[in-house]
Amino acid sequence: MRTGIAPFGQTPRRTSPARPRPRRLWRPDGQTLGALALLAALAYLVVVPLATIVWGSVRTTPPGGDGGFTLDNLTTILGGDGVWSSLHNTGLFATASTVIAMVLGAYLAWVTERTDAPFRRAIYVFVMVPIVVPGILTTIAWALVLHEEIGLANVAVSTVTGNEVAPFDGYSLGGMIWADATDSITLPFLLIAAALRNMDPSLEEASRAAGASEATTLRRITLPVMRPALAATALIVFIKTVDSFEVPTVLGLPGGVRVLATDVYVATRRFPADPNLGAAYALLYLGVALVGLWAYHRVTRGAGRFVTIGGRGYRPARIALGSHRHRHGLAALTIVGVAVILPFLVVVYASLLPYYAPPSAGTWGQLTLDNYRYVLFEAPAVGRAVRNNLVAGLGASVVAVTLAALTSWVLVRGRSRLRGWLDAIAFAPIALPGIVLGLAVMWFYLTVPVPIYASLWIIGVAYVTAYLPYALRATHASMSQLDRELEESSAVAGARWGYTFWRITVPLISSGLVVGFIYVFSRTLKTLSLPVLLAGPGNEVLPVLIYDLYESGRYPELNALGVLMFVVLAVTGLALTRIGPGLGEVESRSWLRSSATRPNR
């Protein structure tokens, strides 16, 4: 017993001994449990396959085998000359393609947004075509245009000049750079056009008032103000070019030009296959992509570095080009015509011939719709591929949008400390090259006893993992603009969280859900790098079928199938533009992820 010290004149008070406080068990609330469940699901989709591929790169046996550890795979690729050649080609391919796409995209954006040149509406419409044309189809079109013997460009030059030496070679590094750059114009065009549209024009107006010419104002004011946005856009295009698979496979492999994407593919597809070596290549490939993503985050770390001051009072005046007005309009229209419209017209032309041949007086009389009749009614592989794409694409779109909606609610409304981890893991797949993610998913499901390899299930899982960040950006934007009052009123009335989320939150963010759904589904119709390693016999999807037709030399059939796919994607893109932002804006907004989209920590 302890005796307390009483004040003077009072009897000391007897106190009981101090008792140790019982430890309180941690009892997570419903939000924390939900965040944990989401975190576990996202970690299973993203982190576990990547950990599996790291594990496989240091193993001696294929997936599922009982082998030991080794560093031979890493030393083999790092000690040989081939990987350094691939690394050099990858860097040169990505850098040159980025420069060309940035220059062309920036010029088109400047003409359409800041000048009074004619044909602006037509340019804006035509520059959107690459969004709804599968990359494999555009690449094959450029292979036909730049072919040394039957290429449209070489035949035209030989006819005009009389020189029989082909000036263009599509199956080369230069052909790869041009094909990828023209397919990437849309993204820098959209981002730079948005920056030009939202810039504060006061500095430019002050420069003109001081007597500076338009060229001086552009060089001394506009470009320096837009430097952070231009740098961020260039890094975005660079990362996407590093991720490119269709161009290196169609144009690089036949020409003997190796890049890291084709190294991963060849190592896993050659006979005998060496998936361990492919995993080692995938690690190096992933490292290059992560360096680009790190540089992007360094540039976009501060939201204030994007100088896009918008508002009703900020309406940049169009530059009056005077006598040069029509010249710039025709130049922009020519760029779009050569880079975008020409390959698509070649696809349409080739789809109407019994066999591909350069345009001549004889070929026009051979035009027929037999290829479309064959694709629509006679080819069983086409119907099977369409059914597979619908099953895998629609299922993956539903799952991705559902996960995105739940994750967005936790990020915007939740109070869990796991929000930062959720945001990071859900956004991580955007930095993963498609061929690397496909190999990681393949390796994981060959290792664990889950019988979904070479089925539509594994393709659907890969789609969900790859396109979850895009769906998350669409739902996150809608959730951020939603007021809390209706949800709070439902809770006060005694409704459970699930009822409130389904009956109130989901209808209010339905536009973002539909945008994410259609965007994810459209990507499943275009992407080749994911299903090319995962599709088994009888489970091919449309991009894989087009690639198989290309390897078989069946150009008329694959072009007819490509035109029909273009129609389907154009319809989905039109539907998306009526609901919310266009396909390209969804993609650009998912990349322009500023600090405003991060949860408050």
Side-chain angles (χ1 to χ4, degrees), residues 82-83 86-87 258-268 277-278 281:
V83 69
S86 298
L87 194 60
R258 295 178 51 183
V259 293
L260 292 176
T262 53
D263 284 343
V264 176
Y265 177 73
V266 170
T268 54
L277 188 64
Y281 276 118

Side-chain angles (χ1 to χ4, degrees), residues 188-199:
F189 170 81
L190 287 172
L191 299 181
I192 297 173
L196 288 172
R197 190 182 309 121
N198 296 324
M199 267 185 56

Side-chain angles (χ1 to χ4, degrees), residues 133-144 171 250 343-344 346-356 370-372 374-375 379 382 542-566:
V133 176
I136 180 67
L137 194 65
T138 305
T139 306
I140 293 173
W142 280 116
L144 297 177
Y171 299 99
V250 174
F344 180 71
V346 170
V347 169
V348 176
Y349 165 76
S351 69
L352 298 173
L353 292 175
Y355 56 88
Y356 180 77
D370 290 343
N371 298 317
Y372 290 94
Y374 172 79
V375 168
V382 173
L542 286 171
V544 176
L545 179 60
I546 290 179
Y547 183 64
D548 291 341
L549 291 174
Y550 167 76
E551 287 190 320
S552 303
R554 302 174 65 179
Y555 298 115
E557 291 89 346
L558 75 87
N559 284 288
L561 179 59
V563 172
L564 295 176
M565 288 181 61
F566 167 78

Side-chain angles (χ1 to χ4, degrees), residues 90-91 93-99 101-102 180 184 187 231-245 261 285-300 427-435 470 523 587 590-592:
T90 301
F93 167 60
T95 302
S97 176
T98 300
V99 171
M102 285 292 297
D180 189 86
S184 303
L187 184 58
T233 304
L235 286 170
I236 291 170
V237 179
F238 180 85
I239 295 171
K240 290 181 68 64
T241 306
V242 169
D243 186 23
S244 176
F245 176 75
Y285 190 17
L286 179 61
V288 174
L290 289 178
V291 168
L293 186 65
W294 171 82
Y296 168 74
H297 280 296
R298 291 278 297 180
V299 171
T300 61
F427 188 72
I430 209 166
L432 302 179
I435 194 70
Y470 302 98
R523 290 298 295 256
E587 186 164 358
S590 67
W591 278 107
L592 285 180

Side-chain angles (χ1 to χ4, degrees), residues 396-418:
S397 301
V398 171
V399 174
V401 169
T402 302
L403 287 175
L406 295 173
T407 304
S408 297
W409 190 93
V410 174
L411 296 179
V412 177
R413 295 284 193 262
R415 299 182 301 274
S416 174
R417 297 180 180 179
L418 301 175

Side-chain angles (χ1 to χ4, degrees), residues 29-38 401-416 422 479 482 484 486-507 509:
D29 55 7
Q31 283 195 21
T32 304
L33 289 176
L36 282 173
L38 278 174
V401 169
T402 302
L403 287 175
L406 295 173
T407 304
S408 297
W409 190 93
V410 174
L411 296 179
V412 177
R413 295 284 193 262
R415 299 182 301 274
S416 174
L422 271 176
M479 190 76 70
L482 185 63
R484 298 173 179 263
L486 292 177
E487 295 173 296
E488 293 174 351
S489 299
S490 176
V492 170
R496 294 181 177 272
W497 177 87
Y499 183 88
T500 301
F501 183 79
W502 177 250
R503 297 297 300 272
I504 295 178
T505 307
V506 169
I509 64 170

Side-chain angles (χ1 to χ4, degrees), residues 109-117 120 196-206 208 214 217 222 312-321:
W110 177 75
V111 169
T112 55
E113 293 294 335
R114 302 301 292 273
T115 72
D116 62 345
R120 295 192 306 272
L196 288 172
R197 190 182 309 121
N198 296 324
M199 267 185 56
D200 182 359
S202 58
L203 294 176
E204 296 173 307
E205 293 171 356
R208 297 188 189 99
E214 294 294 345
T217 301
T222 308
R312 295 182 180 178
Y314 296 101
R315 295 295 180 188
R318 293 191 178 274
I319 300 172
L321 298 177

Side-chain angles (χ1 to χ4, degrees), residues 45-63:
L45 290 172
V46 179
V47 179
V48 175
L50 289 180
T52 306
I53 202 172
V54 174
W55 170 271
S57 66
V58 294
R59 300 288 289 177
T60 59
T61 56

